[in-house]
Amino acid sequence: MSKHFETEAIRTQLNRSEFLEHSVPMYLTSSFVFEDAEDMRASFTEEKERNIYSRFTNPNTSEFIEKICKMEGAESGYAFATGMAAVFSTFAALLDSGDHIVSARSVFGSTHSLFTKFLPKWNIETSYFNVDEVDKAESLIKPETKILYVESPTNPGCDVLDLEYLGNLAKKHNLIFVVDNCFATPYLQQPIKFGADIVIHSATKMIDGQGRVLGGVSVGRADLIREIYLFSRNTGPALSPFNAWVLSKSLETLHVRADRHCENALKVAEFLEGHEKVNLVKYPFLKSHPQYEVAKKQMKHGGNIVAFEVKGGIDAGRKFLNSIKMCSLSANLGDTRTIVTHPASTTHSKLAEEDRLEVGITDGLVRCSVGLEHTDDIIADLDQALKA
């Protein structure tokens, strides 16, 4: 019987052991034992489906993956030590030398570095289209193009891409459509419904939700995940059992946390939009957002990230950060605690100024990860820092 999202998040669990525990235990073991030589042989040849070594599979990571697969509507998945391990391993497993990627230009700084500095070492090139020119993506497709990649909403500018349009484009050209769904989480958006073949998450963010552990996951078509699994089994970017246990527990409250995060974020965005010290605000569920209708079509709520530009450029941006009293200054996001970040000098500092400006990362841009504090307190801190 099909269950609701919230129920699947809470009731998807490992089978109970002989101790009949109610809460799933941690399996902090590097390896697993075999009954005899034949059991060991059959296990390594994959005639048997069982745990062998925690770099391959572990009960805790398997539970975490199963939950994400059910939430995203995916066939299979693999969990990683970090979100960037998931991004790199997905591309490394699915691409060969000479292959080509078409990507939205607005991607996380480390992903941009992967596309421009590291994948070219293996003769893998990337062509970018702007988020406001999605219709030009098709013109970049070449015979050697294999993957179409986007983040939506984007980091840090909160742009939204039409996943249905891009999913149809990928299908038309027989491309693998990969979507980074980190900002939205599986609760707010399920890209597979719109044609994605692989969905990636940095579980470090909203999935954990409390700034405790690192983690990543890729889920999607079973045949593609099989390639990612084989690559990762041999290269070793596996998620630790402890972190998997923490993240699986966190998924039980994701829907509750996300609802409140989004409620707070919309109030913060509406406040900032009317502030005299702010040039512009981008939040997917603000009616002023350029892709508001697209966001409403494919997202349940607008997420917890608000991007806004402080008047006065780099100096005003620094003064704002230095004047913050309650909110945290951190490179993380998706935490219970509100976090403000200055992308131009931190997460995207390795981008050339021209590249930053092309994706809307101006000197005064601030990324606010709205937390679960009382909204009045969040707004009061942002207001006093803007007026300082």
Side-chain angles (χ1 to χ4, degrees), residues 292-350:
Y292 171 75
E293 294 299 333
V294 175
K296 294 284 284 189
K297 177 182 74 171
Q298 63 194 34
M299 297 177 70
K300 183 181 179 72
H301 301 300
N304 83 308
I305 306 297
V306 178
F308 63 98
E309 183 180 87
V310 179
K311 290 182 179 178
I314 192 77
D315 292 334
R318 286 175 178 157
K319 185 179 180 182
F320 167 77
L321 291 186
N322 288 332
S323 300
I324 284 291
K325 294 179 179 178
M326 182 192 75
C327 300
S328 304
L329 305 186
S330 173
N332 196 28
L333 58 92
D335 200 305
T336 52
R337 292 152 291 198
T338 298
I339 295 169
V340 290
T341 308
H342 184 236
S345 63
T346 57
T347 55
H348 291 71
S349 60
K350 290 182 172 59

Side-chain angles (χ1 to χ4, degrees), residues 10-63:
I10 292 168
R11 289 293 175 178
T12 300
Q13 291 183 298
L14 294 173
N15 292 330
R16 291 189 176 102
S17 73
E18 68 272 23
F19 299 109
L20 299 180
E21 66 279 345
H22 192 219
S23 179
V24 173
M26 286 182 278
Y27 289 85
L28 299 184
T29 179
S30 60
S31 55
F32 302 83
V33 298
F34 304 93
E35 295 176 2
D36 51 36
E38 173 56 22
D39 180 34
M40 195 169 189
R41 182 205 65 79
S43 299
F44 272 88
T45 58
E46 297 187 79
E47 293 171 27
K48 284 186 174 182
E49 187 175 333
R50 51 116 67 213
N51 294 300
I52 298 173
Y53 195 65
S54 286
R55 173 157 51 88
F56 307 169
T57 61
N58 175 280
N60 294 125
T61 56
S62 295
E63 181 187 270

Side-chain angles (χ1 to χ4, degrees), residues 118-135:
F118 299 108
L119 290 183
K121 291 183 178 181
W122 298 287
N123 193 30
I124 297 169
E125 301 296 332
T126 301
S127 297
Y128 284 135
F129 62 91
N130 293 331
V131 292
D132 57 349
E133 297 178 328
V134 175
D135 57 319

